[in-house]
Amino acid sequence: MTKMIAGQALVKVLEAWDVNHIYGIPGGSINHTVEGLYLEKDKVDYIQVRHEEVGALAAAADAKFTGKVGVAFGSAGPGATHLFNGLYDAKMDHVPMLALVGQVPQPTMNTNYFQEMDETPMFGDVAVYNRTATTAEQLPYMVNQAIREAYRQKGPAVVIIPEDLSAKEIDYEPVKTPNVVSNTYTQVIDPTAVQETLKLLKQAKHPLVYAGRGLLGARTELVKFSEQFNVPVLNTVPATGVIPTDNPNAIGTFGRLGSKSGFEALQHTDLILFLGSEFPFAQFWPKNIKIIQVNNNSFDIGKMVPVDYAVLSDAKSYLQAMIATGETLPATDWLTANRQNKQNWNAWLAEQAADDSKGLAPEAVTQKIASMVGPKDTYGVDTGNVSEWAVRGLPMDKEQRFALSGLFATMGYGLPAGLAGALSVPDAQAWSLSGDGGFAMVAPDIITEARYQLPVINVVFSNRRFGFIYREQVDTKQHLYGVDLTDADWAKVAEGLGGIGFTVTNNVEVERVFDQIKDLQAQGNQKPIVVNAVIKDDDPIGTAFMPLDPELYGEDTVKAYAEANNIDVAKQPSLGALLRAKGDNL
């Protein structure tokens, strides 16, 4: 045993769990935890953020990028409450996170002391583990247990630390708990479930895989299954990258952030294999189809949509069991038509990127980014229209990693996630993509990227409005109110905060500026970069409903929709038309 303050001992527990950085801001009620970080500064990097929310969001993004627990801290009162956005993001997207929360010294608790709050019930809804320390000696044990629960329950854990306890000297003995929590086990699947779902798959004429985050880390299995059974694959937005974006069987996603190919596949499928997801918009799927749901949480099965067959299993193990049958299905017109539909959609996006006659298209920016990214790059993506452009345009065909605020969908996520990417995957380029609304919420933490010499490339799509909400107000015929934004020169802001700033307004400038950035990075640039991309005001095309099939919607509806959205139906025939041309009468 070794004598040390409890604040240092709890940091040693973080080291045992392979935590190498932690975000936060010092405060009177967390000071001896910060002292512990100082004493262990050679093992754990303390990242001083400018807002605890940024630290908490970055910690959640760390977990999404790596699968390892992300850690942030805040002092009592406002420091604690600022953590909530990151904690709820981790909860709703099911990733492990630890928050160390300061509390006033025990003798002053329950006395209406400065910044004193009853913190334990505050975190009751969000945390999978939520405890307040009562002795200094138990602090290392509590932090260890908190991390175990964060991994076991895939969510945020909270340890509340009265300041006088972290200052006390204790006898510390290293924890013996194994510091690797494996999610790579193979579950034994009921053979009956395999045979019954195989039978349903064989009976289907238009089967479709809908893959969620539960298959992250199972790309090999998903690709093998898709190719062995010749089934097209859709994925949820948070699961972007679960199948390589350049795989011919990957046809995009469904909903407002999705693709034409994704929307139309759902209109003609007769069986969905729903894997590793609690997709909230499944309730909008067509009602006359069969659904097989595979999930390792019984609560999630049937939660969003009624299912015809349930398999209680992790999705990776289920796919492994299906592959092991050695069965296969032939390639069909259904598969080839879906592939062609996705290729047509990609061509349409490229056309949008090429046309800057009415202003810069965001697709031109993502297309240029796609030409520059490396095999391990990370993308931190904000909430709003920018999510659509990222999902539709960023390549996830190698080992790139993607993080956004999925179910919680908080704005201001892009920059913290970009920061996390630079720290969690230091041997690759980190990118952040934000709208001007979300970026304004967290822009001061460009200082943090500058302080720690993190050359994140932060792209800000500036159109001077909350574009996603603007479209909702238009669609629901409300008055346009509160959605316009006062403009700012984000390039100059970046320079004032210690970074490098550029502005682009057309395709020529996009090519020139991003080539300059490429040269800067090749020369060893250590400053964050902000690209203020001033884009045209047009909304991105909504893909939640795309009436392009005259057999389903009528010629007049198709013509009106195509004209309104600049779609050449001859180049973008509907999936239904492609199938009928192949003799599939649906």
Side-chain angles (χ1 to χ4, degrees):
M1 290 188 180
T2 306
K3 286 193 175 295
M4 63 182 68
I5 62 169
Q8 181 179 5
L10 70 85
V11 177
K12 283 191 168 293
V13 176
L14 300 181
E15 295 169 19
W17 283 94
D18 199 26
V19 172
N20 58 21
H21 63 273
I22 177 174
Y23 308 91
I25 296 177
S29 56
I30 198 78
N31 270 344
H32 280 87
T33 299
V34 175
E35 174 70 4
L37 288 168
Y38 171 79
L39 295 170
E40 296 295 317
K41 64 181 184 297
D42 292 336
K43 301 288 182 62
V44 177
D45 290 333
Y46 161 48
I47 306 300
Q48 179 206 73
V49 290
R50 288 305 181 94
H51 197 298
E52 291 92 347
E53 177 186 8
V54 169
L57 290 172
D62 279 330
K64 293 177 185 180
F65 284 135
T66 68
K68 291 167 47 179
V69 65
V71 187
F73 69 83
S75 58
T81 58
H82 284 166
L83 297 171
F84 274 110
N85 258 18
L87 289 167
Y88 271 102
D89 181 69
K91 174 186 178 177
M92 296 184 72
D93 282 355
H94 305 298
V95 295
M97 180 182 166
L98 172 66
L100 303 174
V101 179
Q103 178 58 288
V104 300
Q106 279 186 320
T108 58
M109 290 174 65
N110 305 316
T111 66
N112 299 308
Y113 193 67
F114 176 71
Q115 291 191 325
E116 181 203 351
M117 300 177 70
D118 190 2
E119 291 176 339
T120 305
M122 284 169 44
F123 295 99
D125 178 66
V126 70
V128 298
Y129 178 95
N130 179 28
R131 299 286 188 276
T132 298
T134 57
T135 71
E137 288 74 16
Q138 67 188 207
L139 268 171
Y141 171 83
M142 290 177 64
V143 171
N144 187 50
Q145 289 301 110
I147 294 173
R148 285 165 54 91
E149 287 302 298
Y151 277 119
R152 185 177 75 86
Q153 299 191 55
K154 297 180 180 177
V158 173
V159 176
I160 299 169
I161 307 168
E163 168 60 9
D164 58 319
L165 300 188
S166 58
K168 288 184 178 179
E169 190 172 79
I170 63 171
D171 291 319
Y172 173 68
E173 182 177 0
V175 296
K176 296 181 179 180
T177 304
N179 64 1
V180 175
V181 175
S182 175
N183 292 313
T184 59
Y185 68 92
T186 299
Q187 186 172 328
V188 178
I189 308 299
D190 182 355
T192 301
V194 172
Q195 291 304 314
E196 291 292 332
T197 54
L198 183 59
K199 180 180 177 181
L200 290 170
L201 190 61
K202 288 181 176 180
Q203 291 172 349
K205 187 178 180 183
H206 295 159
L208 191 65
V209 168
Y210 211 109
R213 281 184 55 85
L215 277 171
L216 289 174
R219 177 185 275 189
T220 299
E221 288 78 9
L222 181 56
V223 169
K224 173 65 176 171
F225 175 85
S226 173
E227 294 175 348
Q228 183 173 325
F229 291 93
N230 286 297
V231 181
V233 177
L234 285 174
N235 59 267
T236 64
V237 168
T240 298
V242 71
I243 185 169
T245 48
D246 63 352
N247 186 288
N249 289 359
I251 58 172
T253 190
F254 163 73
R256 184 169 165 181
L257 308 188
S259 59
K260 172 180 179 289
S261 47
F263 168 76
E264 292 183 333
L266 275 168
Q267 307 316 303
H268 296 293
T269 186
D270 56 1
L271 172 74
I272 293 178
L273 191 52
F274 189 27
L275 303 175
S277 176
E278 54 175 331
F279 182 54
F281 303 109
Q283 59 187 290
F284 299 114
W285 289 351
K287 306 302 180 187
N288 58 341
I289 56 177
K290 290 188 181 296
I291 298 175
I292 300 168
Q293 186 170 8
V294 181
N295 202 295
N296 61 1
N297 185 346
S298 59
F299 178 73
D300 287 339
I301 293 179
K303 181 171 71 174
M304 302 311 304
V305 62
V307 301
D308 297 275
Y309 198 99
V311 181
L312 187 60
S313 164
D314 69 283
K316 179 178 180 178
S317 296
Y318 170 77
L319 289 183
Q320 289 171 332
M322 290 289 281
I323 292 166
T325 64
E327 298 272 5
T328 187
L329 293 176
T332 63
D333 290 340
W334 166 248
L335 178 65
T336 55
N338 274 287
R339 286 176 168 180
Q340 184 61 55
N341 203 28
K342 181 57 162 54
Q343 290 171 12
N344 292 345
W345 168 252
N346 289 343
W348 184 82
L349 291 175
E351 288 178 3
Q352 306 312 300
D355 183 7
D356 62 354
S357 60
K358 297 180 180 179
L360 177 63
E363 290 85 1
V365 181
T366 54
Q367 181 176 276
K368 184 60 179 178
I369 293 171
S371 74
M372 292 174 57
V373 298
K376 295 183 179 180
D377 285 8
T378 58
Y379 312 114
V381 178
D382 217 323
T383 299
N385 284 345
V386 65
S387 305
E388 301 180 50
W389 301 319
V391 168
R392 295 171 183 174
L394 296 179
M396 292 287 293
D397 50 358
K398 302 286 191 306
E399 297 177 54
Q400 297 97 348
R401 310 182 201 195
F402 179 98
L404 86 171
S405 183
L407 290 183
F408 193 48
T410 180
M411 291 176 63
Y413 193 83
L415 190 155
L419 172 65
L423 292 165
S424 288
V425 190
D427 59 341
Q429 177 62 54
W431 301 79
S432 84
L433 285 78
S434 305
D436 45 357
F439 190 75
M441 295 179 173
V442 292
D445 269 275
I446 290 294
I447 297 174
T448 305
E449 293 178 352
R451 178 184 177 96
Y452 297 102
Q453 298 184 322
L454 301 173
V456 182
I457 301 174
N458 303 276
V459 181
V460 185
F461 294 89
S462 298
N463 61 356
R464 301 159 302 284
R465 67 188 185 198
F466 293 119
F468 202 90
I469 308 305
Y470 172 92
R471 173 46 51 186
E472 289 182 343
Q473 291 187 356
V474 169
D475 289 344
T476 54
K477 297 179 172 56
Q478 298 180 66
H479 293 94
L480 295 175
Y481 195 58
V483 291
D484 62 304
L485 295 174
T486 300
D487 198 14
D489 187 333
W490 298 113
K492 288 184 178 178
V493 169
E495 293 170 0
L497 296 174
I500 301 170
F502 297 98
T503 296
V504 295
T505 62
N506 56 50
N507 287 3
V508 171
E509 292 174 355
V510 167
E511 289 294 323
R512 175 177 54 78
V513 164
F514 278 90
D515 286 346
Q516 283 182 255
I517 292 171
K518 189 187 303 183
D519 290 341
L520 281 171
Q521 301 302 71
Q523 294 164 14
N525 170 57
Q526 295 298 305
K527 290 185 177 182
I529 293 171
V530 172
V531 179
N532 183 32
V534 181
I535 58 173
K536 59 185 179 181
D537 288 340
D538 295 354
D539 289 320
I541 186 170
T543 52
F545 180 63
M546 301 188 74
L548 287 168
D549 189 341
E551 293 286 329
L552 295 178
Y553 307 109
E555 293 284 356
D556 291 343
T557 298
V558 171
K559 182 179 179 181
Y561 180 82
E563 289 179 353
N565 291 280
N566 192 30
I567 295 175
D568 183 342
V569 180
K571 294 181 179 179
Q572 292 289 328
S574 68
L575 177 62
L578 292 171
L579 287 168
R580 287 189 291 272
K582 295 176 180 294
D584 187 331
N585 295 317
L586 311 180

